[in-house]
């Protein structure tokens, strides 16, 4: 459920099913504590390169790296703690 979002105006009623699915993935990423892709216009779920194209995108290696960064403590079997790096850059 999206309670409040600054989604582009296009998504207010005009999104394709693929775009809407990617939008939901994007917002779930934020709910998990993941920020936007850097650079912001990258074709990753957490970026905005796919906006206004009529297409969605699959999770990229960069998106998966961001999850690993946010939850590295769990993968390492450590107690919860903030990420040790500030951002994951995508190419």
């Amino acid at each position: 459920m999206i309670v409040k979002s600054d989604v582009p105006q296009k998504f207010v009623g005009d999104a394709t099913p693929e775009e809407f699915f990617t939008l939901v993935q994007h917002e779930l990423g934020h709910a998990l504590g993941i920020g936007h892709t850097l650079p912001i216009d990258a074709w990753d779920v957490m970026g905005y390169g796919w906006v206004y194209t009529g297409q969605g995108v699959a999770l990229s290696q960069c998106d998966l790296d961001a999850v690993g960064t946010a939850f590295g403590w769990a993968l390492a079997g450590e107690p919860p703690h903030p990420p040790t790096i500030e951002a994951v850059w995508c190419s």
Side-chain angles (χ1 to χ4, degrees), residues 42-67:
W43 273 71
D44 301 284
V45 168
M46 296 310 294
Y48 282 116
W50 52 271
V51 176
Y52 301 114
T53 66
Q55 303 172 20
V57 295
L59 290 172
S60 69
Q61 185 59 51
C62 187
D63 292 315
L64 297 175
D65 291 345
V67 172

Side-chain angles (χ1 to χ4, degrees), residues 2 4 8 15 32 46 48 60 75 81:
I2 300 172
K4 179 180 182 294
L32 291 172
M46 296 310 294
Y48 282 116
S60 69
L75 299 172
H81 60 79

Side-chain angles (χ1 to χ4, degrees), residues 7 20 29 33 38-39 49 63 88:
V7 297
F20 185 73
L38 299 173
D63 292 315
V88 175

